Short mmCIF file of all heavy atoms in Angstrom, two decimals:
data_model
loop_
_atom_site.label_atom_id
_atom_site.label_comp_id
_atom_site.label_asym_id
_atom_site.label_seq_id
_atom_site.Cartn_x
_atom_site.Cartn_y
_atom_site.Cartn_z
N GLY R 13 6.44 23.62 -5.64
CA GLY R 13 7.71 23.97 -4.97
C GLY R 13 8.88 23.23 -5.55
O GLY R 13 8.75 22.93 -6.77
N ALA R 14 9.86 23.11 -4.78
CA ALA R 14 11.18 22.39 -5.18
C ALA R 14 10.88 21.14 -5.67
O ALA R 14 10.09 20.21 -4.83
CB ALA R 14 12.30 22.47 -4.21
N LEU R 15 11.25 20.46 -6.82
CA LEU R 15 11.16 19.25 -7.22
C LEU R 15 12.52 18.49 -7.22
O LEU R 15 13.61 19.21 -7.50
CB LEU R 15 10.50 19.15 -8.66
CG LEU R 15 9.09 19.76 -8.70
CD1 LEU R 15 8.62 19.85 -10.18
CD2 LEU R 15 8.07 18.90 -7.79
N PRO R 16 12.62 17.26 -7.12
CA PRO R 16 11.36 16.26 -6.92
C PRO R 16 10.84 16.25 -5.52
O PRO R 16 11.53 16.73 -4.61
CB PRO R 16 12.02 14.90 -7.19
CG PRO R 16 13.40 14.99 -6.87
CD PRO R 16 13.74 16.43 -7.14
N VAL R 17 9.60 15.93 -5.32
CA VAL R 17 9.04 15.70 -3.97
C VAL R 17 9.28 14.25 -3.58
O VAL R 17 8.70 13.31 -4.41
CB VAL R 17 7.50 16.05 -4.05
CG1 VAL R 17 6.90 15.77 -2.68
CG2 VAL R 17 7.21 17.57 -4.49
N LYS R 18 9.74 14.03 -2.50
CA LYS R 18 9.98 12.57 -2.14
C LYS R 18 9.22 12.37 -0.75
O LYS R 18 9.37 12.95 0.25
CB LYS R 18 11.64 12.45 -1.63
CG LYS R 18 12.36 12.49 -2.98
CD LYS R 18 13.89 12.22 -2.66
CE LYS R 18 14.72 12.17 -3.88
NZ LYS R 18 16.12 11.70 -3.68
N LEU R 19 8.44 11.39 -0.74
CA LEU R 19 7.43 11.20 0.31
C LEU R 19 7.43 9.61 0.59
O LEU R 19 7.64 8.87 -0.18
CB LEU R 19 6.10 11.70 -0.06
CG LEU R 19 5.84 13.09 -0.36
CD1 LEU R 19 4.54 13.35 -0.94
CD2 LEU R 19 6.12 13.82 0.90
N TRP R 20 7.03 9.36 1.91
CA TRP R 20 6.77 7.94 2.33
C TRP R 20 5.53 7.90 3.12
O TRP R 20 5.25 8.93 3.72
CB TRP R 20 8.08 7.31 3.07
CG TRP R 20 8.21 7.74 4.39
CD1 TRP R 20 8.98 8.90 4.81
CD2 TRP R 20 7.73 7.19 5.63
NE1 TRP R 20 8.94 8.95 6.24
CE2 TRP R 20 8.25 7.98 6.74
CE3 TRP R 20 7.02 5.87 5.86
CZ2 TRP R 20 7.95 7.45 8.09
CZ3 TRP R 20 6.75 5.62 7.16
CH2 TRP R 20 7.32 6.41 8.21
N TYR R 21 4.92 6.77 3.23
CA TYR R 21 3.72 6.56 4.02
C TYR R 21 3.58 5.23 4.50
O TYR R 21 4.29 4.21 4.06
CB TYR R 21 2.55 7.07 3.18
CG TYR R 21 2.50 6.40 1.82
CD1 TYR R 21 1.73 5.15 1.63
CD2 TYR R 21 3.14 6.87 0.73
CE1 TYR R 21 1.77 4.49 0.29
CE2 TYR R 21 3.17 6.19 -0.48
CZ TYR R 21 2.37 5.04 -0.64
OH TYR R 21 2.41 4.43 -1.83
N SER R 22 2.66 5.01 5.47
CA SER R 22 2.50 3.70 5.99
C SER R 22 1.09 3.52 6.55
O SER R 22 0.61 4.59 7.07
CB SER R 22 3.49 3.43 7.18
OG SER R 22 3.21 2.19 7.84
N GLY R 23 0.49 2.38 6.32
CA GLY R 23 -0.97 2.29 6.91
C GLY R 23 -1.67 1.01 6.46
O GLY R 23 -0.96 0.15 5.90
N SER R 24 -3.03 1.12 6.57
CA SER R 24 -3.69 0.00 6.24
C SER R 24 -4.45 0.21 4.92
O SER R 24 -4.81 1.25 4.57
CB SER R 24 -4.81 -0.22 7.40
OG SER R 24 -4.31 -0.57 8.59
N TYR R 25 -4.52 -0.94 4.25
CA TYR R 25 -5.21 -1.00 2.94
C TYR R 25 -6.25 -2.09 2.80
O TYR R 25 -6.21 -3.07 3.58
CB TYR R 25 -4.18 -1.07 1.90
CG TYR R 25 -3.34 0.24 1.88
CD1 TYR R 25 -2.23 0.26 2.69
CD2 TYR R 25 -3.61 1.36 1.06
CE1 TYR R 25 -1.36 1.33 2.88
CE2 TYR R 25 -2.83 2.41 1.17
CZ TYR R 25 -1.80 2.46 2.02
OH TYR R 25 -1.00 3.63 2.11
N TYR R 26 -6.99 -2.01 1.86
CA TYR R 26 -8.21 -3.00 1.85
C TYR R 26 -8.60 -3.41 0.37
O TYR R 26 -8.74 -2.61 -0.47
CB TYR R 26 -9.43 -2.27 2.40
CG TYR R 26 -9.17 -1.59 3.77
CD1 TYR R 26 -8.75 -0.28 3.66
CD2 TYR R 26 -9.41 -2.24 5.08
CE1 TYR R 26 -8.49 0.42 5.04
CE2 TYR R 26 -9.27 -1.59 6.21
CZ TYR R 26 -8.67 -0.28 6.15
OH TYR R 26 -8.37 0.37 7.32
N ARG R 27 -8.72 -4.70 0.24
CA ARG R 27 -9.18 -5.34 -0.98
C ARG R 27 -10.08 -6.50 -0.78
O ARG R 27 -9.78 -7.32 0.19
CB ARG R 27 -8.01 -5.68 -1.81
CG ARG R 27 -7.12 -4.57 -2.29
CD ARG R 27 -5.95 -5.05 -3.30
NE ARG R 27 -5.04 -3.95 -3.54
CZ ARG R 27 -3.98 -4.11 -4.28
NH1 ARG R 27 -3.84 -5.24 -4.94
NH2 ARG R 27 -3.18 -3.03 -4.48
N TYR R 28 -11.22 -6.54 -1.32
CA TYR R 28 -12.00 -7.61 -1.17
C TYR R 28 -11.60 -8.85 -2.09
O TYR R 28 -11.96 -8.96 -3.22
CB TYR R 28 -13.60 -7.26 -1.65
CG TYR R 28 -14.55 -8.32 -1.27
CD1 TYR R 28 -15.06 -8.36 0.01
CD2 TYR R 28 -14.96 -9.29 -2.25
CE1 TYR R 28 -16.06 -9.36 0.36
CE2 TYR R 28 -15.95 -10.24 -1.83
CZ TYR R 28 -16.48 -10.24 -0.62
OH TYR R 28 -17.30 -11.18 -0.20
N GLU R 29 -10.72 -9.62 -1.43
CA GLU R 29 -10.13 -10.83 -2.12
C GLU R 29 -10.56 -12.05 -1.41
O GLU R 29 -10.95 -12.00 -0.23
CB GLU R 29 -8.61 -10.68 -2.17
CG GLU R 29 -8.21 -9.45 -2.91
CD GLU R 29 -6.67 -9.51 -3.19
OE1 GLU R 29 -5.97 -9.08 -2.27
OE2 GLU R 29 -6.21 -9.86 -4.36
N ARG R 30 -10.29 -13.24 -2.05
CA ARG R 30 -10.52 -14.58 -1.29
C ARG R 30 -9.44 -14.69 -0.30
O ARG R 30 -8.35 -14.83 -0.65
CB ARG R 30 -10.54 -15.66 -2.37
CG ARG R 30 -10.80 -16.95 -1.72
CD ARG R 30 -11.21 -17.98 -2.81
NE ARG R 30 -10.13 -18.09 -3.77
CZ ARG R 30 -9.21 -18.99 -3.75
NH1 ARG R 30 -9.10 -19.96 -2.71
NH2 ARG R 30 -8.22 -19.06 -4.69
N PRO R 31 -9.73 -14.64 0.98
CA PRO R 31 -8.59 -14.72 2.01
C PRO R 31 -7.78 -16.00 1.94
O PRO R 31 -8.44 -17.03 1.68
CB PRO R 31 -9.35 -14.59 3.34
CG PRO R 31 -10.64 -13.95 3.02
CD PRO R 31 -11.05 -14.47 1.62
N GLN R 32 -6.54 -15.83 1.87
CA GLN R 32 -5.60 -16.98 1.93
C GLN R 32 -4.24 -16.56 2.51
O GLN R 32 -4.10 -15.34 2.72
CB GLN R 32 -5.41 -17.59 0.54
CG GLN R 32 -4.87 -16.59 -0.46
CD GLN R 32 -4.78 -17.15 -1.87
OE1 GLN R 32 -3.86 -17.91 -2.12
NE2 GLN R 32 -5.70 -16.65 -2.88
N LYS R 33 -3.41 -17.39 2.78
CA LYS R 33 -2.10 -17.02 3.37
C LYS R 33 -1.40 -16.04 2.44
O LYS R 33 -1.13 -16.31 1.21
CB LYS R 33 -1.22 -18.29 3.55
CG LYS R 33 0.08 -17.97 4.30
CD LYS R 33 0.90 -19.26 4.61
CE LYS R 33 2.15 -18.89 5.43
NZ LYS R 33 2.94 -20.18 5.77
N GLY R 34 -1.07 -14.91 2.97
CA GLY R 34 -0.42 -13.86 2.09
C GLY R 34 -1.33 -12.88 1.40
O GLY R 34 -0.94 -12.07 0.80
N ARG R 35 -2.62 -13.22 1.35
CA ARG R 35 -3.55 -12.45 0.74
C ARG R 35 -4.75 -12.04 1.69
O ARG R 35 -5.49 -12.95 2.05
CB ARG R 35 -4.07 -13.08 -0.55
CG ARG R 35 -5.15 -12.28 -1.26
CD ARG R 35 -5.41 -12.81 -2.63
NE ARG R 35 -4.48 -12.42 -3.61
CZ ARG R 35 -4.43 -12.72 -4.89
NH1 ARG R 35 -5.35 -13.64 -5.32
NH2 ARG R 35 -3.47 -12.31 -5.66
N TYR R 36 -4.76 -10.92 2.16
CA TYR R 36 -5.79 -10.37 3.21
C TYR R 36 -6.65 -9.42 2.73
O TYR R 36 -6.28 -8.57 1.82
CB TYR R 36 -5.17 -10.04 4.45
CG TYR R 36 -4.00 -11.03 4.91
CD1 TYR R 36 -2.70 -10.84 5.07
CD2 TYR R 36 -4.45 -12.46 5.30
CE1 TYR R 36 -1.78 -11.69 5.47
CE2 TYR R 36 -3.42 -13.29 5.68
CZ TYR R 36 -2.18 -13.03 5.84
OH TYR R 36 -1.22 -13.85 6.16
N ARG R 37 -7.82 -9.35 3.29
CA ARG R 37 -8.71 -8.23 2.84
C ARG R 37 -8.33 -6.86 3.59
O ARG R 37 -8.60 -5.86 3.07
CB ARG R 37 -10.13 -8.52 3.26
CG ARG R 37 -10.68 -9.68 2.43
CD ARG R 37 -12.12 -10.16 2.75
NE ARG R 37 -12.58 -11.19 1.76
CZ ARG R 37 -13.76 -11.72 1.78
NH1 ARG R 37 -14.57 -11.37 2.79
NH2 ARG R 37 -14.21 -12.53 0.86
N HIS R 38 -7.63 -6.99 4.76
CA HIS R 38 -7.08 -5.86 5.50
C HIS R 38 -5.57 -6.11 5.61
O HIS R 38 -5.22 -7.20 6.15
CB HIS R 38 -7.71 -5.63 6.82
CG HIS R 38 -6.96 -4.66 7.63
ND1 HIS R 38 -6.51 -5.06 8.84
CD2 HIS R 38 -6.61 -3.40 7.50
CE1 HIS R 38 -5.86 -3.96 9.39
NE2 HIS R 38 -5.85 -3.05 8.49
N PHE R 39 -4.80 -5.28 4.91
CA PHE R 39 -3.30 -5.60 5.00
C PHE R 39 -2.55 -4.26 5.22
O PHE R 39 -3.15 -3.20 5.07
CB PHE R 39 -2.88 -6.20 3.66
CG PHE R 39 -3.19 -5.51 2.41
CD1 PHE R 39 -2.35 -4.72 1.75
CD2 PHE R 39 -4.44 -5.56 1.83
CE1 PHE R 39 -2.69 -3.92 0.69
CE2 PHE R 39 -4.83 -4.97 0.73
CZ PHE R 39 -3.89 -4.04 0.03
N SER R 40 -1.25 -4.40 5.46
CA SER R 40 -0.48 -3.21 5.88
C SER R 40 0.65 -3.00 4.88
O SER R 40 1.31 -3.96 4.54
CB SER R 40 0.13 -3.45 7.39
OG SER R 40 0.78 -2.43 7.64
N GLN R 41 0.98 -1.82 4.58
CA GLN R 41 2.06 -1.54 3.58
C GLN R 41 2.81 -0.31 4.07
O GLN R 41 2.33 0.59 4.72
CB GLN R 41 1.51 -1.22 2.24
CG GLN R 41 0.84 -2.45 1.42
CD GLN R 41 0.39 -1.97 0.16
OE1 GLN R 41 0.11 -0.79 -0.20
NE2 GLN R 41 0.32 -3.00 -0.79
N VAL R 42 4.05 -0.23 3.57
CA VAL R 42 4.87 0.88 3.65
C VAL R 42 5.16 1.35 2.07
O VAL R 42 5.42 0.41 1.31
CB VAL R 42 6.15 0.82 4.38
CG1 VAL R 42 7.02 2.03 4.13
CG2 VAL R 42 5.92 0.35 5.75
N GLY R 43 4.86 2.59 1.81
CA GLY R 43 5.03 3.08 0.49
C GLY R 43 6.03 4.25 0.33
O GLY R 43 6.27 4.94 1.24
N ALA R 44 6.54 4.49 -0.95
CA ALA R 44 7.38 5.55 -1.07
C ALA R 44 7.13 6.09 -2.58
O ALA R 44 6.88 5.28 -3.44
CB ALA R 44 8.87 5.28 -0.85
N GLU R 45 7.12 7.42 -2.81
CA GLU R 45 7.09 8.05 -4.11
C GLU R 45 7.96 9.12 -4.32
O GLU R 45 8.51 9.79 -3.39
CB GLU R 45 5.60 8.64 -4.21
CG GLU R 45 4.52 7.71 -3.56
CD GLU R 45 4.12 6.54 -4.43
OE1 GLU R 45 4.61 6.39 -5.65
OE2 GLU R 45 3.41 5.64 -3.94
N ILE R 46 8.50 9.23 -5.47
CA ILE R 46 9.34 10.29 -5.94
C ILE R 46 8.58 10.99 -7.10
O ILE R 46 8.33 10.45 -8.09
CB ILE R 46 10.69 9.94 -6.50
CG1 ILE R 46 11.41 9.23 -5.39
CG2 ILE R 46 11.50 11.22 -6.88
CD1 ILE R 46 12.92 8.82 -5.71
N LEU R 47 8.15 12.23 -7.01
CA LEU R 47 7.29 12.96 -7.94
C LEU R 47 8.12 14.18 -8.45
O LEU R 47 8.84 14.92 -7.76
CB LEU R 47 6.08 13.52 -7.32
CG LEU R 47 5.15 12.40 -6.58
CD1 LEU R 47 4.21 13.01 -5.80
CD2 LEU R 47 4.50 11.61 -7.76
N GLY R 48 8.03 14.32 -9.89
CA GLY R 48 8.61 15.52 -10.49
C GLY R 48 9.88 15.29 -11.22
O GLY R 48 10.62 16.28 -11.55
N THR R 49 10.18 14.08 -11.42
CA THR R 49 11.49 13.79 -12.25
C THR R 49 11.33 12.50 -13.07
O THR R 49 10.64 11.60 -12.77
CB THR R 49 12.65 13.75 -11.33
OG1 THR R 49 13.89 13.33 -12.09
CG2 THR R 49 12.43 12.57 -10.27
#
């Protein structure tokens, strides 16, 4: 369709890391993407 495509999202993400302050195995993010330009 019409470009660019601009999207945002929010949710839970997961990484098997050594837990410490500021680094969690389950964490929350907000993201944004611009596609097609």
Side-chain angles (χ1 to χ4, degrees):
L15 296 176
V17 178
K18 296 184 177 184
L19 299 170
W20 75 274
Y21 50 94
S22 175
S24 295
Y25 297 83
Y26 311 86
R27 295 185 189 178
Y28 189 82
E29 299 187 284
R30 181 165 59 94
Q32 55 183 292
K33 186 175 182 179
R35 176 171 282 179
Y36 310 116
R37 293 177 174 177
H38 167 241
F39 55 98
S40 180
Q41 289 184 338
V42 173
E45 316 289 345
I46 301 179
L47 300 167
T49 177

